[in-house]
Amino acid sequence: MDFETFFRKELDGLHREGRYRVFADLERQAGRFPTATYHGENGSRDVTVWCSNDYLGMGQHPKVLAAMHQALDGSGAGAGGTRNIGGTNHYHVLLERELADLHGKEAALLFNSGYMSNWASLSTLAAKLPGCVILTDALNHASMIEGIRHSRAEKHIFAHNDPDDLRRKLAALDPNTPKLIAFESVYSMDGDIAPIREFCDIADEFGAMTYLDEVHAVGLYGPRGGGISERDGLTDRLTLIQGTLAKSFGVIGGYITGSAALCDFIRSFASGFIFSSSLPPAVAAGATAAIRHLKESSAERERQQDRVHALRRKLDAAGIPHLPNPSHIVPVMVGEAKACKAISDELLARFDIYVQPINYPTVPRGTERLRITPSPFHSDADIDRLVAALGTIWARDGLQRAA
Ligand code: PMP
């Protein structure tokens, strides 16, 4: 087989459909977020970033940077091994305590990414619990889907955020088989929020465990940034809460929290935990500083919400269609892959605005969009420039207007 021809043909298909992914070569600048330097074909220039998942700008917070510098100078660059073999640093232990406290759980367990925490935890639970059946929301993240698939456990996909469908699917199962319901709180692409309380009620009714991904909510919701489950007083009712250190906490890494026995079980059996070197101590120190700060301070999340509402109001006034939702994610709907990419390219080339297009398979075909994430650092002038640029493109191209 001619491998090169095969690779090129597959990639050509992506180009033809307008969903070939191009990385923007960006140089983030601590202290200037959301400004970054864009290195393009025609040289380098400043752009405003509107699609960062460093939702609160904690990746540049002075406390986070100071903690990372201190740990780097004190402990060196890498962790030196897997957690079992020399790679458990005091900073990991402190961070796990901080995370357990954040979610009001007995214990926490760190992973190298949110992706790996979902993949390893779900695949281990579903494979090891004899006869375990997984109930999984139709829009769950790829990391959950892949973990469940790897376990080879029986799975049932329930309609997105639909308690009635979940109940129907549970009722059809053997009452004695162990069950686990996996879902997210804030869904990253539509920005809608799961009916967590109803899911917990149903889980109690059928004796199922609950697994909640709070990746897009930790740091942003709840009085101490413990996510939607904290905001709604539901932490005690969830068996396992999973999160990331790479979005609101501004660094990198993932985690789960739950009972001491549950975390110990995953720690002892999950290959994605056991056989991978641990996070650098400086990363753990930075994450701990970010979490501690956001437990005490609500100023960043309040300012972020203020920016979200300001942007939505201005998009409405300009007739730019965006999905209404109760979160910080503002999806501006385009509905076609090539158009979505062309708009993103034009925003960058003509207006120095960077928003990555979101295409299939991240979202269903026909719902391609620009996923805009306002941060506490976007000014009124930034918002006005973004809305004016979108307005110019929408008017010229005769794109669909908001009702
Ligand atoms: N869960 C969800 C819902 C996500 O959107 C993502 C990443 N975008 C992850 C898990 C993986 O987290 P990480 O980026 O830390 O690997």
Side-chain angles (χ1 to χ4, degrees), residues 113-115 118 141 143 184 188 213 215-216 244 246-247 253:
S113 69
Y115 190 103
N118 273 336
H141 188 256
S143 53
E184 302 177 20
S188 67
D213 173 323
V215 159
H216 293 280
T244 185
K247 301 191 194 285

Coordinates of all heavy atoms in Angstrom, one line a residue, residues 113-115 118 141 143 184 188 213 215-216 244 246-247 253, ligand 1:
S113 N -4.2 15.1 32.2 CA -5.2 15.9 31.5 C -6.6 15.5 31.9 O -6.8 14.5 32.5 CB -5.0 15.7 30.0 OG -5.5 14.4 29.6
G114 N -7.5 16.4 31.6 CA -8.9 16.1 31.8 C -9.3 14.9 31.0 O -10.1 14.1 31.4
Y115 N -8.8 14.9 29.8 CA -9.1 13.8 28.9 C -8.8 12.4 29.5 O -9.6 11.5 29.6 CB -8.3 14.0 27.6 CG -8.8 13.0 26.5 CD1 -9.6 13.5 25.4 CD2 -8.4 11.7 26.5 CE1 -10.0 12.6 24.4 CE2 -8.8 10.8 25.5 CZ -9.5 11.3 24.4 OH -9.9 10.4 23.5
N118 N -11.0 11.4 32.5 CA -12.3 10.7 32.1 C -12.1 9.3 31.5 O -12.8 8.4 31.8 CB -13.0 11.6 31.0 CG -13.9 12.7 31.6 OD1 -14.4 12.5 32.7 ND2 -14.1 13.7 30.8
H141 N -18.5 14.3 26.1 CA -17.2 14.5 25.5 C -16.5 13.2 25.0 O -16.7 12.2 25.6 CB -16.3 15.2 26.5 CG -15.1 15.8 25.9 ND1 -13.9 15.1 26.1 CD2 -14.8 16.8 25.1 CE1 -12.9 15.8 25.5 NE2 -13.5 16.9 24.9
S143 N -13.7 12.1 25.4 CA -12.9 11.4 26.4 C -13.7 10.4 27.2 O -13.3 9.4 27.6 CB -12.2 12.4 27.4 OG -13.1 13.3 27.9
E184 N -22.3 15.7 31.8 CA -21.5 16.9 32.1 C -22.4 17.9 32.7 O -23.7 17.8 32.7 CB -21.0 17.4 30.7 CG -20.1 16.5 30.0 CD -19.6 17.0 28.6 OE1 -19.6 18.2 28.4 OE2 -19.2 16.2 27.8
S188 N -19.9 22.0 26.4 CA -18.9 23.0 26.0 C -19.3 23.7 24.7 O -19.0 24.8 24.4 CB -17.5 22.4 25.8 OG -17.6 21.5 24.7
D213 N -18.9 15.4 34.8 CA -17.8 16.1 34.2 C -18.1 17.6 34.4 O -19.1 18.1 33.8 CB -17.6 15.7 32.7 CG -16.6 16.6 32.0 OD1 -16.5 17.8 32.2 OD2 -16.0 16.0 31.1
V215 N -15.8 20.0 33.7 CA -14.6 20.7 33.1 C -14.9 22.2 32.7 O -14.1 23.0 32.9 CB -14.2 19.9 31.8 CG1 -13.4 20.7 30.9 CG2 -13.4 18.6 32.3
H216 N -16.1 22.4 32.2 CA -16.4 23.8 31.8 C -17.2 24.6 32.9 O -17.8 25.6 32.6 CB -17.3 23.8 30.5 CG -16.5 23.2 29.4 ND1 -15.5 24.0 28.7 CD2 -16.4 22.0 28.8 CE1 -14.9 23.2 27.8 NE2 -15.4 22.0 27.8
T244 N -11.0 19.7 35.2 CA -9.7 20.0 34.5 C -9.0 21.1 35.2 O -9.6 22.0 35.9 CB -9.8 20.4 33.0 OG1 -8.6 20.5 32.4 CG2 -10.6 21.7 32.9
A246 N -6.9 22.9 33.3 CA -6.4 23.6 32.1 C -7.3 24.7 31.6 O -7.0 25.4 30.6 CB -6.2 22.5 31.0
K247 N -8.5 24.9 32.2 CA -9.4 25.9 31.7 C -9.4 27.0 32.7 O -8.5 27.9 32.7 CB -10.7 25.3 31.3 CG -10.5 24.2 30.2 CD -11.8 23.7 29.6 CE -11.6 22.4 28.8 NZ -10.9 22.5 27.5
G253 N -3.8 19.6 33.3 CA -4.0 18.5 34.2 C -5.5 18.2 34.4 O -6.3 19.1 34.0
Ligands
PMP1 N1 -14.3 17.0 29.2 C1 -14.9 18.0 28.5 C2 -16.3 18.2 28.5 C3 -14.0 18.8 27.6 O1 -14.6 19.7 26.9 C4 -12.7 18.5 27.6 C5 -11.7 19.3 26.8 N2 -12.0 20.3 26.0 C6 -12.2 17.5 28.4 C7 -13.0 16.8 29.2 C8 -10.7 17.2 28.4 O2 -10.0 18.1 29.3 P1 -8.5 18.5 29.0 O3 -8.5 19.6 28.0 O4 -8.0 19.0 30.4 O5 -7.8 17.3 28.6

